[in-house]
Amino acid sequence: VVMVAGAGAAQQQQQHQHQQQQLQRDVSKEAQLVCGRPRVSELKTNKRVARIVGGNQSAFGQWPWMVSLRQWRKGAFLHKCGAALLNENWAITAAHCVENVKAPDLLLRLGEFDVSNQNEPFPYIERHVRTVVSHPSFDPKTFEYDLALIRFTEPIQYERNIIPVCVPQGNDSYVDRMATVIGWGRLFEDGPLPDVIQHVDVPIITNQECEKMYKSAGFVEEIPDMFICAGISKGGRDSCEGDSGGPLTMIDHDGRSYLVGIISWGIGCALPSQPGVYTRITAFSPWINQIIST
C-alpha cells in the first residue's frame, strides 16, 4: 500500500510539474505574440517637449515595457533604477542595481508614466519581488555580466500601458542603427529627476570606436563584446543617473521593439567622446530565455 501511495504521489508531482512547465510555455508564447508593440493609438497622448539629456518627454503608453525598480529607503519605495518587462512573471535590469539588496526591499512599478500624476488613462501596477537572479559572473569592478532577472511574487496581466519588450535572437551587431534609451534618470549630470518618463535616440557604434572615443577623452577603457555602445562624439544625448538597468531598444524590420541593451555604465552624462555602455542582450539571450521559461 505504501508503495502504491508513493507511486501515486510521485505521479501527481510529475503531472503538477508538467502542468507548470506547460503554463510557463504558454506565458512565453503569449509574451512573444504581444511583445514590442505599443498600443499608443488607443491612448490619450501628450505633446512631446524637449527635455532629458538631448531627448524628449514621452507619450503615455509609448514604452509599455518600461519598469521603475524601487528600493525601500527612508520609509518608502523610491525609484532607484530602470528595468524592462519580459513576460507576465519576469523583468530584467542591471545586476549592479540589485547588488546586496534583499528581495523584500525591492518593488517593481509597471505602467507608470508621470510619477506626480495619479490621474492617468490607465493606472500603474506594483509587484513585490519573489526572486532576484543576478548573472553568476557579474563583476562589480568591471561591470561585466551586468544583468539581473527579477521574478514577481505574482503574475501581471498585460494592459494597454503594460506590454513586454521582445528579446532578440541571433547576433546582429546593430552598428550604425538608431536605438532608444528610456528612463526617469537625471535630465543632466547632477540635475533634477523628471516626473515624466523620458527617451532619447542614440546611434549604435562599434566597440572599437567606443574605446577610441573614450581614449580621446583621456580614458583607457577595455570594452569587450558583451557590451554594446551608443552615443555621438559631440555628446549631448545619453542616459544619466537613475536610468541604470533600463532598456536600450530598437524597432526591427517586423515593426516590433527589441531589447538591444540594458544600461550599465558610462563616465559622466552626455559628455563629448564618452558614449553610454550597455550590456549586449544578444550575448545573453540564451541565459535569459532559459531562466524566464522555468
Side-chain angles (χ1 to χ4, degrees):
V1 175
V2 174
M3 284 175 65
V4 172
Q11 194 174 10
Q12 278 184 331
Q13 191 178 8
Q14 217 170 11
Q15 283 176 340
H16 177 70
Q17 284 175 340
H18 178 72
Q19 285 168 347
Q20 289 296 104
Q21 287 167 352
Q22 186 58 49
L23 190 66
Q24 194 56 51
R25 279 196 289 269
D26 292 345
V27 164
S28 297
K29 275 182 193 168
E30 187 181 359
Q32 286 165 15
L33 285 172
V34 304
C35 73
R37 292 192 174 168
R39 295 164 68 179
V40 178
S41 59
E42 301 171 36
L43 300 161
K44 300 172 188 173
T45 57
N46 298 349
K47 287 183 181 175
R48 299 182 194 173
V49 295
R51 267 178 81 167
I52 204 178
V53 189
N56 293 293
Q57 184 169 296
S58 303
F60 183 88
Q62 191 174 0
W63 317 110
W65 38 84
M66 185 66 204
V67 178
S68 169
L69 174 62
R70 292 164 173 254
Q71 185 175 337
W72 183 259
R73 287 174 296 186
K74 300 177 184 173
F77 282 105
L78 302 177
H79 176 81
K80 182 183 185 182
C81 281
L85 180 64
L86 297 180
N87 65 24
E88 292 168 358
N89 293 305
W90 291 90
I92 189 168
T93 189
H96 78 260
C97 289
V98 293
E99 190 189 14
N100 300 322
V101 183
K102 293 173 183 169
D105 289 336
L106 294 170
L107 182 77
L108 295 158
R109 183 178 286 188
L110 304 96
E112 178 63 285
F113 171 65
D114 181 347
V115 295
S116 66
N117 182 11
Q118 298 293 319
N119 187 26
E120 292 179 349
F122 287 84
Y124 63 76
I125 63 167
E126 292 181 332
R127 284 291 181 271
H128 289 280
V129 173
R130 182 202 288 184
T131 316
V132 176
V133 184
S134 290
H135 196 284
S137 300
F138 170 60
D139 184 340
K141 292 190 185 75
T142 63
F143 277 37
E144 291 180 358
Y145 302 92
D146 191 13
L147 282 183
L149 294 163
I150 301 177
R151 183 166 186 140
F152 316 142
T153 48
E154 56 184 292
I156 55 102
Q157 284 191 318
Y158 302 141
E159 301 287 350
R160 285 176 176 82
N161 59 330
I162 302 172
I163 295 169
V165 69
C166 302
V167 177
Q169 307 303 318
N171 58 356
D172 195 324
S173 71
Y174 303 109
V175 170
D176 294 331
R177 291 172 64 185
M178 295 299 287
T180 304
V181 194
I182 313 147
W184 287 275
R186 298 194 185 280
L187 300 174
F188 49 88
E189 196 168 352
D190 298 325
L193 291 166
D195 290 330
V196 174
I197 193 169
Q198 309 284 308
H199 69 274
V200 62
D201 294 332
V202 284
I204 304 293
I205 59 174
T206 66
N207 290 33
Q208 291 74 19
E209 180 65 21
C210 197
E211 289 174 353
K212 276 185 198 167
M213 283 167 67
Y214 269 107
K215 193 172 182 182
S216 72
F219 300 97
V220 178
E221 298 290 345
E222 187 183 343
I223 303 170
D225 280 343
M226 72 177 72
F227 294 112
I228 186 168
C229 288
I232 50 178
S233 58
K234 68 178 181 181
R237 286 189 269 165
D238 197 7
S239 52
C240 201
E241 187 189 350
D243 287 322
S244 280
L248 176 74
T249 64
M250 181 182 291
I251 298 175
D252 216 339
H253 309 299
D254 60 0
R256 294 174 184 260
S257 283
Y258 284 82
L259 185 64
V260 173
I262 286 288
I263 300 168
S264 182
W265 63 273
I267 298 173
C269 300
L271 296 173
S273 294
Q274 292 170 48
V277 184
Y278 306 78
T279 302
R280 187 186 296 271
I281 294 300
T282 52
F284 295 96
S285 49
W287 177 76
I288 292 165
N289 289 325
Q290 182 187 1
I291 290 169
I292 68 172
S293 62
T294 55

